[in-house]
Amino acid sequence: MQMIEFTVPGPPVPKERARFGGGSSKRPRTPKKTRAYESRVGWCAIAAIQKARNQSSKSVWAKGGHMAAVLTFYLPDERTRDVDNLIKSVLDGMNKVVYDDDRQVMGVITVSRVDKHEPRMDARVYRSENREELWRHFQNITAKMDEAVVAHG
């Protein structure tokens, strides 16, 4: 199993609905703010993959196989956000960088918190050719999260 970690600095940006262009354009366009955030996610992921490759003599990351992610969103304020759209902007930003297609992602664990001083998104992405191995690892992560919730009431 392989894992990369990276941080996208700045406030997380939820995926906005595509807009239809004016005039003769009938094709939907992803809003600029969303595209910019997805691009930042991609560049941060590329840097994490490159760092992992530089620290290991063996092949560290391949886009094939099964993926799972743990995403922590540190939001700049208490306003509620649509978590589905936060996840979507990150998954779309990692598409063609971390994996070939987001259909490879078999699970996502998401936590959101407030950090007024340093809003960001932290990602841990796990990859394995063996779906069962990844599933067991993901179950261990969720069990540890459950234990932490119970311990802190």
Side-chain angles (χ1 to χ4, degrees):
M1 177 163 341
Q2 300 170 319
M3 191 261 299
I4 57 167
E5 292 181 275
F6 62 94
T7 296
V8 179
V13 176
K15 179 85 172 192
E16 294 181 47
R17 290 191 187 276
R19 309 275 190 250
F20 287 91
S24 63
S25 175
K26 301 290 184 206
R27 297 180 59 188
R29 293 185 145 313
T30 300
K32 251 184 211 180
K33 186 176 180 179
T34 301
R35 282 196 326 262
Y37 185 72
E38 290 173 357
S39 178
R40 269 193 307 160
V41 169
W43 283 109
C44 291
I46 287 169
I49 292 167
Q50 192 60 47
K51 180 180 176 185
R53 286 182 177 153
N54 290 342
Q55 293 175 346
S56 177
S57 59
K58 56 185 172 180
S59 175
V60 173
W61 198 263
K63 291 192 281 184
H66 306 286
M67 309 283 174
V70 177
L71 307 176
T72 306
F73 296 97
Y74 294 89
L75 306 170
D77 54 51
E78 297 282 345
R79 288 181 303 151
T80 58
R81 270 85 169 178
D82 186 337
V83 174
D84 290 352
N85 289 333
L86 287 169
I87 295 167
K88 184 70 174 154
S89 64
V90 173
L91 293 181
D92 286 354
M94 291 191 297
N95 202 26
K96 304 295 184 213
V97 173
V98 175
Y99 41 77
D100 287 320
D101 191 290
D102 56 14
R103 289 181 288 179
Q104 293 170 253
V105 180
M106 56 182 272
V108 178
I109 296 172
T110 307
V111 178
S112 63
R113 307 181 70 163
V114 173
D115 187 338
K116 295 176 183 179
H117 304 291
E118 193 182 348
R120 65 196 180 279
M121 188 281 304
D122 290 340
R124 278 184 291 150
V125 183
Y126 300 90
R127 179 201 166 279
S128 178
E129 293 293 332
N130 183 323
R131 185 180 182 91
E132 288 303 313
E133 174 190 39
L134 188 58
W135 179 246
R136 282 190 305 276
H137 184 72
F138 221 49
Q139 284 180 312
N140 289 337
I141 291 171
T142 57
K144 287 177 186 174
M145 291 177 76
D146 288 345
E147 290 171 12
V149 168
V150 170
H152 291 94

